[in-house]
Amino acid sequence: VYRFNLPTDGWMVLVSDTFEKSDWLLWENLVGIPSELQQGDVIVAVDGQKFEGLATIASVNRPLHWKQGQEIMATVNRGGEQISLFVPVTKWTIGAIFKNFLVQPEILIGVISSVFLFSLGLYTFSQRSELPAARVLLVICSVYLSLILSGILPDGLSVQFDRIAFYATSFFSYLIFPVLLAPSLLSFTLVFPEPKKIIGRNPSLFFLPYIIGGGVGIALLIPGSPNVIGWITTMGMLFASAVSLIHSGVIQRDEVSQAQFRMTILGMT
């Protein structure tokens, strides 16, 4: 909702990036307002303020004329040539969101699936709220839903020129994986179908993945910290989750646990 009300150039963008730098590649005019921008343009500067290579890496000060109804002077790289042109500033529309669904149908599929999974998690929690697995399942479904909904609107200049939107987008597109999603999956496997014996003896171990994820999140906020730390943490926890789930399937042999285990595997596949 916050991002929907921000000024925008109205374009859906792609990110051409490496670990060192990233650029906004214009792809589709979603709002449809007449503009001199063209598909394939790479944003180099706005009103003389250069931010080439900083698309998803740093927030940029908002230009004076970055307001709905005004124009900015954008410099773009078009076919190897830098061109300066006027770009009207507008606002997002509901129609732009639906057009984005057509341009990127995977977003619409993600919205439908995340709403379904959240409803399933909410129903399970309402029926068995006393079970730790039901609580963590609701957290997982909630995180996945927020992750998908955060991507309904494209990134781009509207995000980079607003610090709140920039840091919120950074969280939902990157930090959420090592800080919340991966820890929740690992904690879920520690208590599903039934809590492991080590959790029964030391209940505080259930929160260990979240403590690790929080520590990684804090480390990533330190300027200059390598982003790869987050991905290594995420992949490590996903691997540990798979091992934990297989372990539960081997040692928990009662019929109810096995039935729950089979349903989980079928749901994941």
Side-chain angles (χ1 to χ4, degrees), residues 74-134:
T75 302
V76 302
N77 188 320
R78 180 180 296 172
E81 179 183 1
Q82 289 196 0
I83 303 174
S84 295
L85 38 81
F86 287 103
V87 177
V89 181
T90 182
K91 66 175 183 179
W92 292 114
T93 63
I94 298 297
I97 294 177
F98 283 103
K99 187 174 182 180
N100 197 31
F101 287 155
L102 296 176
V103 176
Q104 302 181 93
E106 64 274 13
I107 294 180
L108 179 58
I109 294 173
V111 170
I112 295 173
S113 63
S114 63
V115 170
F116 172 77
L117 288 176
F118 176 75
S119 301
L120 181 62
L122 188 61
Y123 174 77
T124 302
F125 177 78
S126 68
Q127 298 298 308
R128 304 296 300 274
S129 60
E130 74 281 2
L131 296 179

Side-chain angles (χ1 to χ4, degrees), residues 20-269:
E20 291 78 25
K21 64 177 185 176
S22 57
D23 296 303
W24 295 126
L25 174 67
L26 300 178
W27 195 253
E28 186 74 27
N29 187 349
L30 298 180
V31 176
I33 187 171
S35 173
E36 296 181 59
L37 296 172
Q38 295 181 10
Q39 185 182 72
D41 286 349
V42 176
I43 302 294
V44 175
V46 172
D47 283 354
Q49 182 178 202
K50 294 185 178 182
F51 55 93
E52 186 177 13
L54 300 176
T56 59
I57 296 175
S59 177
V60 177
N61 292 330
R62 181 175 58 188
L64 178 63
H65 299 291
W66 185 252
K67 300 175 183 178
Q68 181 186 345
Q70 298 196 23
E71 288 185 333
I72 57 170
M73 174 67 74
T75 302
V76 302
N77 188 320
R78 180 180 296 172
E81 179 183 1
Q82 289 196 0
I83 303 174
S84 295
L85 38 81
F86 287 103
V87 177
V89 181
T90 182
K91 66 175 183 179
W92 292 114
T93 63
I94 298 297
I97 294 177
F98 283 103
K99 187 174 182 180
N100 197 31
F101 287 155
L102 296 176
V103 176
Q104 302 181 93
E106 64 274 13
I107 294 180
L108 179 58
I109 294 173
V111 170
I112 295 173
S113 63
S114 63
V115 170
F116 172 77
L117 288 176
F118 176 75
S119 301
L120 181 62
L122 188 61
Y123 174 77
T124 302
F125 177 78
S126 68
Q127 298 298 308
R128 304 296 300 274
S129 60
E130 74 281 2
L131 296 179
R135 301 170 192 167
V136 186
L137 179 63
L138 181 59
V139 173
I140 294 172
C141 295
S142 300
V143 170
Y144 180 61
L145 177 63
S146 63
L147 175 65
I148 296 298
L149 292 181
S150 69
I152 288 180
L153 283 175
D155 295 343
L157 298 181
S158 63
V159 170
Q160 195 163 17
F161 288 150
D162 186 277
R163 292 188 183 277
I164 295 177
F166 178 81
Y167 288 115
T169 300
S170 297
F171 176 80
F172 283 108
S173 62
Y174 176 58
L175 286 176
I176 196 171
F177 291 97
V179 173
L180 274 179
L181 188 57
S184 296
L185 287 171
L186 181 53
S187 292
F188 176 76
T189 64
L190 295 176
V191 295
F192 180 85
E194 297 291 337
K196 296 182 183 295
K197 292 181 179 180
I198 190 173
I199 298 298
R201 294 192 298 267
N202 302 281
S204 59
L205 290 178
F206 171 80
F207 299 100
L208 182 58
Y210 291 103
I211 295 174
I212 295 174
V216 171
I218 293 174
L220 288 172
L221 293 177
I222 300 175
S225 59
N227 291 338
V228 71
I229 294 176
W231 294 122
I232 291 176
T233 302
T234 299
M235 296 308 297
M237 287 195 182
L238 291 179
F239 177 77
S241 299
V243 172
S244 177
L245 196 61
I246 293 172
H247 176 261
S248 296
V250 172
I251 67 171
Q252 300 185 28
R253 305 299 299 176
D254 61 281
E255 292 184 6
V256 174
S257 295
Q258 285 295 304
Q260 292 175 332
F261 182 76
R262 287 193 295 270
M263 289 179 63
T264 300
I265 295 300
L266 289 174
M268 293 174 64
T269 56

